[in-house]
Amino acid sequence: MIIRPYKILRFCAVVVVSILVAVFVPDFLGLSINAVFWACYWVFAVLMAALALFGRFRFRKYRAHKMLNDFEVPVPELSVTAFDHQKEAREKESLLQSFFNVSAEAYWDFNPSIGKVFWSDRAVQIVGVEGGIGDSFASLLSNMFESDRDVFRNTISEALEQKKGFSLEVRLHNAIQGMRSLLINGNPQLNAEGHLVRMIGTLLDISVHKTTQRDLVYSIYHDSLTGLKNRRFFLEHLDEEVIRATNRPDYLFALIFVDIDRFNGINDSFGHDFANNVLREVGDRLVRFCSDDSLVARIDGDEFGIILKDLDGIKLNENLKSMVYNLQSRLKHEIDIDGRKVLLNVSMAVVINSGFKDVEDLVACADTTLKQAKKNGSGTVQFFSSGIRQKAMELYRLEIELRKAILYQEFILVYQPIVNIRTRKVSGFEALVRWNSAERGFIPPSDFIPMAEETGLIVSMGEQILRMACATAKAWVDAGHKDLWVAVNFSAKQFAQDNVKDEVSRVLAETRLPPKNLKLEITEYTAMKDSEKIEDVMKDLSKMGVQISIDDFGTGYSSLIYLKRYPIRTLKIDKSFIKGVPTDPDNTTIAKMVILMGKTLNLELIAEGVETREQLDFLRAEGCDLIQGFYYSKPLFSHDAMRLIERYANKSVPYHVEGALLSKV
Ligand code: C2E
Ligand code: MG
Ligand code: MG
C-alpha cells in the first residue's frame, strides 16, 4: 500500500484535533467525564486516525487536480471531469474511424469490452453483405465459406485470449463480386497495464493474387492444350509411386506410354487446329477409359502417359493385357471433328514396376519399350522385358561413350568416289563418318548415328564432320582439282537449327573452301519435315553457292512439289532400288521413273549402291549422270582418296579401284 503525503497530513490533523478536544473541551464546558466515555473516545480517535492514514476516501476534484499536478501537466480548474474524458475518447474514436473510412485499406476495429466491431467503408465493400454489415463479426462469418468459419473463430479467440496478432486467409461470397479471397490481419492494442482494449485489423482482397497464383500452379502442372496433367506433374507422381513400391515390396503399379502413329501426317494433311483437336479427343478417351485413381497426362507432343496404381498381383499380366488392348481399340475408333473423319493407330509401351529404384531408370525403360513398339510397326503394344532393359542400358552406355568421342574427336571420315558414268572421271566424294573407338575399333554409322540424332549429339558431331570434310576438300582444290566436290550428310536435327547458314559459312571461311566445292546431302524425310523452314535454309545456302542434294530419293514422300520449290541441284537414287535393277521389274520401273523425273526437272542424278556391271549398263542406258558404289570403289581413307585423285586425274577410273590403292575400309 502506498502512503501518500496527503494521508500523513490527514492523520496528523486527526491526532491533533483528538488531543485538543480531549484537553480543552471538558474544561471549557465544565464537564466531568467518566472513564468509560474516555475509553470510547480514544478508541474512536484511534479509528479515525487509522482511517485518515489508510482510508481511500477522497475529494474527487481535489485528487484529479493533484495527480495531474504531480505530472506537471497544467490542467485548467474544473475542466477535467470524468464526463470530459469520455467525450475526448469518443472524439478520438470518431477521428480514427474517419481516418479508416478515407483510407484505401479496409479496417476493422473490435472493442472487446462492449463486444462491438467497427467496419470501415472499404471493409464493408469487401465483405459485401446485403443489408449492412452490422457491428459484429456475424455477417462476415455468414458470408464466409463454411470450411473457413471455424478456423476464423478459433484464430480470433486465440488472438484475443493471448493478446497476440494474427493473419489468416479466408474465402467468402461477396454479394456483388462472388467468391473472394481475403487476407485478415489483426493487431491487439493494450493499455498501460497490459489489458487488451481493442483489436484493430485490416482486410485485404487477395482474389486477383490468388487467381494468378492458381493459374501459375495450374500452368506448372497442366498441359494447356488438353487440360490434362503435364510431363512435370506426371514425373513427380511417378517418383512417388516408385518410392511407395520401394517401401512396400507388394505394391504394384504400371506405367503406360501411348504414342499416336504418324501423327505428323495428320498435322500435314489436316492442319494444326484439326491435329490439336485429335490430341484433345485422345486425351478425353484416355481419361474416360482409365479408372479415377489412374493418372493420365500428356507428356510430349503426341505422347501420353498413364500410371495405373495399386494393381492386383493375381492374374496381373492377363488383366493388364486385356485392359491395354481394350484401350487401344477404343483409341482406334473413328474420330469425327466437324464432319472430318480420321482413323488413328497407336503404339503402346507397358512397364510393370519391378525393382526400379529411380524414376529415370523406369522412364528410360518405358521409352526404349515404346521405341521397340514403333520399330515393330504401327499399332504395336510392347510389354517391357529384361532384354529391353539390357538394351536400354547399352544405349545409355553408348550415349556416354558418344559424348566422350565428340570431346576427344574420335570420328574420322572416309571418302567414297562418285564417278561420272560417261567420262569415268571422279566428280566428287561422299564423306562418310566412322567412329574410331579406342575400345571397340571402327564402328559403322548405323550403330551410332540414330542415337546421336535422338540425343541431339549429332549437332556437335556434325560440326566436326563438316570441318574435317571441308578441310580435306580444300586440300584437293589446292592440289589443282578445282571442280572436285565433297558431299557431306546433314541430319534433320542439324538442319532444324536456327544458325545452320552461319555455321556452314563459318566453317567454309575457316577452311577457305569455295562454297561450290561443298554439297550438302539431306534425306527426303528431312526435306519434308518442316518444309517452310527447310526451304528458307536451303535458299540461303544455295545463295551462298553451296549445292543441295536429296539423299535416299524414293524412300520418302518423293513429292514433285518440293523438288520444284527447293533449290535442289542433285538427286541420289536410293540403293534399295538400284539393288533390284535390271532384274526386279518394280525396282527397275521406279529407277527409270526417278531418272526421267530428274532429267525433266534438270537435276543431276546420282545412283548409289552400284555393285555390278549390269546395274552400271542399265543406268548408263537410262541417262543417269553419276554413280557411287562398290563397283568402282568402297569408301577410302583421305590419303587414299588423294592418291586416287592424283593417279586418275587424266585417266578413267578402273573398276574396284580400291584394290589398286593401299588401305581399304
Ligand atoms: P548414305 O548417305 O545413303 O550413304 C551411303 C551408304 O551406302 C554408305 O554407308 C556407303 O558406304 C554405302 N554404300 C555405298 N556404295 C555401296 C554399295 O555398292 N553397296 C552397299 N551395300 N552399300 C554401299 P555408310 O557409310 O554405312 O553410311 C550409312 C548411312 O549413315 C549413310 O547413308 C548416312 O545416312 C549415314 N551417315 C554416314 N555418314 C554420315 C555423316 O557424316 N553424317 C550423317 N548425318 N550421317 C551419316
Ligand atoms: Mg548420303
Ligand atoms: Mg543414301
Side-chain angles (χ1 to χ4, degrees), residues 108-212:
W108 55 273
D109 175 5
F110 174 60
N111 187 335
S113 63
I114 53 171
K116 287 189 174 171
V117 187
F118 162 77
W119 301 95
S120 75
D121 290 350
R122 176 81 188 112
V124 175
Q125 220 180 344
I126 287 180
V127 178
V129 190
E130 271 174 2
I133 195 165
D135 55 5
S136 70
F137 288 116
S139 302
L140 175 73
L141 277 165
S142 71
N143 272 17
M144 207 176 276
F145 276 37
E146 211 171 318
S147 51
D148 291 349
R149 277 182 207 156
D150 281 345
V151 184
F152 176 72
R153 272 197 205 99
N154 294 342
T155 307
I156 200 163
S157 322
E158 201 179 297
L160 289 168
E161 207 172 288
Q162 297 177 10
K163 300 172 199 161
K164 61 171 193 181
F166 72 92
S167 184
L168 182 70
E169 274 182 36
V170 295
R171 289 151 306 157
L172 50 78
H173 302 282
N174 181 302
I176 298 158
Q177 294 171 295
M179 189 240 162
R180 312 300 297 164
S181 291
L182 299 190
L183 179 70
I184 307 181
N185 288 312
N187 273 302
Q189 305 289 302
L190 309 180
N191 65 9
E193 281 86 34
H195 296 303
L196 181 82
V197 283
R198 64 212 300 161
M199 180 73 88
I200 296 179
T202 54
L203 289 179
L204 208 63
D205 188 339
I206 52 166
S207 310
V208 177
H209 168 73
K210 278 265 139 190
T211 316
T212 322

Side-chain angles (χ1 to χ4, degrees), residues 430 489 521 551 572:
E430 178 174 9
N489 291 284
E521 286 191 12
D551 202 356
K572 288 187 84 174

Side-chain angles (χ1 to χ4, degrees), residues 430 489 521 551-553 572-575 608:
E430 178 174 9
N489 291 284
E521 286 191 12
D551 202 356
D552 303 343
F553 190 76
K572 288 187 84 174
I573 312 167
D574 191 62
K575 56 180 175 292
E608 62 180 8

Side-chain angles (χ1 to χ4, degrees), residues 471-489:
T472 307
K474 175 72 167 108
W476 304 335
V477 173
D478 287 349
H481 310 283
K482 303 245 178 293
D483 294 327
L484 269 185
W485 42 258
V486 67
V488 178
N489 291 284

